[in-house]
Amino acid sequence: QQQQQQQPMTAAAAASGGGGLVQQLLGVALLVSPFFFWGTSMVAMKPVTAHTTPLLLGAMRLLPAGLALLGWAAATGRPQLLPKSAVAWAWIAAFALVDGAAFQGFLAEGLQRTNAGLGSVIIDSQPLSVAVLAALLFGEALSGLGIAGLFSGVAGLLLLEVPQEVLLQGSSSVSLGGLVAGVEAGVERGLAAAAGNAGSWSLLDSGEFYMLLAAQSMAVGTVMVRWVTKHNDPVAATAWHMVLGGAMLAAAAVAADGSSGELAARLAQFNSSDALAMAYVSLLGGAASYG
């Protein structure tokens, strides 16, 4: 009888342990999912850039995401759905300008000028800036390992400029001097290409530069969250900053287009595939990931 009693207990413990493992895996998947959706959103947005302007593309990502997140916040009874004071609204407006309009505007501009994979890597460099800003503003000291990580991250960004043929020579034949020379060659090649295409080189012609600006905007926005959430519910603040940031970008898109008709001409080519791509980008790469 004792053995019979132990068998169900053992089975129950195994089932409980298996359920715990599944929950842990789901938790890890939830933590990783925003990065997956953000990265794949870059790929989904790339074809749409031909059928809209960068500013409107950013607005099309933010506005539906913000409205969807507001609807979810209202349906789940989040507290303080509407900011309660002028100070709360001011922080959300500042957050919308930096982390909404500037971040998505620069990202869309950069995506028109560089490939989605490289752009995604540059955007993901923003934790480096967040670490530096947190140390300066909040006194969050970096450990020796953290400082080493920062330098490794900067070195990794520099390696993005190394021509592919240098990296393909094989690890045994690539020295530090060769990598430095490769970085210089990559930069010179980029400058020459820009000069050949435009007659004179400008940072405003560089997609990587816009992506770097987007990363810094996101970094500043990340640091601002500490003050924004002192006056607002985090989910509601995130939703409102998307709505306001999207409205800013939409207004800027119309103003920038003026009477040129470029915006209308591009939108005339907007198709169902573009709509599906933007639904993915806005709902999964926006509302779900940020909310």
Side-chain angles (χ1 to χ4, degrees):
Q1 291 180 350
Q2 186 176 1
Q3 289 179 349
Q4 290 176 351
Q5 290 176 353
Q6 287 178 348
Q7 287 178 354
M9 290 177 62
T10 303
S16 176
L21 178 61
V22 170
Q23 289 182 343
Q24 290 179 356
L25 291 175
L26 288 175
V28 171
L30 285 174
L31 287 175
V32 173
S33 62
F35 300 97
F36 172 80
F37 289 134
W38 290 333
T40 53
S41 289
M42 299 279 285
V43 178
M45 289 169 67
K46 182 65 176 179
V48 187
T49 58
H51 301 156
T52 183
T53 60
L55 294 176
L56 189 60
L57 181 64
M60 292 169 66
R61 180 179 189 179
L62 286 178
L63 274 172
L67 292 173
L69 195 54
L70 270 180
W72 180 84
T76 54
R78 296 290 303 188
Q80 200 179 334
L81 188 61
L82 285 173
K84 301 296 184 183
S85 66
V87 174
W89 275 114
W91 273 114
I92 287 180
F95 190 39
L97 178 62
V98 175
D99 191 71
F103 171 45
Q104 294 297 332
F106 287 137
L107 186 152
E109 287 283 359
L111 198 56
Q112 295 240 102
R113 297 167 171 81
T114 190
N115 66 71
L118 178 58
S120 181
V121 171
I122 296 175
I123 290 294
D124 287 340
S125 71
Q126 60 90 17
L128 304 176
S129 301
V130 171
V132 174
L133 289 173
L136 293 175
L137 295 175
F138 308 130
E140 296 181 2
L142 290 172
S143 64
L145 186 60
I147 294 173
L150 282 177
F151 280 106
S152 298
V154 172
L157 289 175
L158 289 175
L159 287 176
L160 293 175
E161 293 295 340
V162 179
Q164 187 176 12
E165 58 268 21
V166 174
L167 295 176
L168 292 178
Q169 289 176 0
S171 57
S172 60
S173 61
V174 178
S175 64
L176 178 60
L179 288 177
V180 172
V183 171
E184 293 176 350
V187 172
E188 290 175 359
R189 182 182 300 180
L191 295 178
N197 291 336
S200 62
W201 181 77
S202 170
L203 275 177
L204 299 181
D205 298 319
S206 169
E208 290 85 349
F209 175 66
Y210 280 107
M211 289 299 185
L212 189 61
L213 289 179
Q216 304 320 302
S217 299
M218 187 179 185
V220 174
T222 300
V223 172
M224 290 176 66
V225 167
R226 180 173 297 194
W227 289 290
V228 174
T229 54
K230 283 184 179 180
H231 306 279
N232 298 279
D233 173 72
V235 175
T238 301
W240 281 114
H241 108 282
M242 288 180 171
V243 172
L244 294 180
M248 293 176 190
L249 285 173
V254 173
D257 184 61
S259 57
S260 68
E262 179 187 1
L263 181 58
R266 289 197 179 194
L267 285 177
Q269 305 174 47
F270 196 85
N271 54 45
S272 58
S273 297
D274 297 328
L276 287 174
M278 290 311 299
Y280 175 87
V281 168
S282 187
L283 297 180
L284 293 179
S289 296
Y290 285 98

